[in-house]
């Protein structure tokens, strides 16, 4: 049995540094993010680290027009569930895309985003990253 190499704290530290890391079950290959104690697929606890490319596509999204307290100036903005290449999905803020141009299937790339005094998970259009 291997200890999970990635804690939630380490995961968020990575986000701040512009890195996405997940864990992958060494028994069945299921990837998980953020870190979990046991594999949701096979119930084992045999995680190994998995560095994510950060590339994925928008699986679903919602536009926040009334933001939580303190973030009113940032609204409206979109939060998307992004299906990453490695098979895990992650919620993040969509940046650098006009709200009416966001669509399911849009290719995006992870980018850390500054929101108030926090770094949050963001996704920018993939084509911008390649340029
Ligand atoms: Zn498993």
């Amino acid at each position: 049995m291997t200890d999970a190499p990635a804690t939630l704290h380490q995961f968020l530290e990575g986000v701040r540094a512009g890195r996405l890391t997940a864990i992958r079950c060494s028994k069945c290959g299921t990837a998980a993010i953020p870190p979990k104690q046991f594999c949701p697929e096979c119930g084992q606890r045999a995680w190994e680290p998995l560095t994510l490319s950060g590339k994925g596509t928008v699986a679903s999204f919602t536009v926040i027009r009334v933001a939580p307290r303190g973030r009113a100036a940032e609204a409206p903005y979109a939060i998307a569930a992004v299906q990453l290449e490695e098979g895990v999905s992650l919620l993040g803020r969509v940046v650098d895309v006009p709200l009416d141009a966001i669509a399911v299937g849009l290719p995006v790339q992870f980018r850390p985003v500054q929101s108030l005094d926090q770094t949050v998970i963001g996704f920018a259009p993939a084509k911008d990253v390649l340029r």
Side-chain angles (χ1 to χ4, degrees):
M1 186 181 291
T2 318
D3 280 344
T7 62
L8 183 58
H9 178 73
Q10 287 169 335
F11 171 72
L12 293 173
E13 286 286 308
V15 168
R16 274 187 281 277
R19 257 189 345 261
L20 275 187
T21 49
I23 49 179
R24 178 167 51 198
C25 178
S26 63
K27 302 284 185 204
C28 73
T30 296
I33 187 174
K36 293 173 173 51
Q37 220 186 342
F38 297 100
C39 174
E41 286 300 315
C42 72
Q44 298 293 306
R45 187 177 173 178
W47 299 113
E48 56 189 16
L50 171 65
T51 301
L52 301 173
S53 66
K55 295 191 187 103
T57 53
V58 171
S60 66
F61 66 95
T62 184
V63 176
I64 308 295
R65 296 188 188 279
V66 181
R69 184 181 293 268
R71 290 199 161 86
E74 299 178 10
Y77 57 85
I79 299 289
V82 172
Q83 182 75 25
L84 297 173
E85 285 182 341
E86 292 83 1
V88 282
S89 64
L90 195 58
L91 283 180
R93 184 172 317 187
V94 183
V95 294
D96 294 349
V97 190
L99 289 178
D100 59 6
I102 300 172
V104 169
L106 180 74
V108 289
Q109 166 76 49
F110 163 75
R111 195 173 83 191
V113 172
Q114 202 66 29
S115 171
L116 298 179
D117 56 347
Q118 285 182 309
T119 304
V120 300
I121 295 167
F123 288 98
K127 57 178 166 53
D128 285 3
V129 176
L130 295 175
R131 234 175 245 154

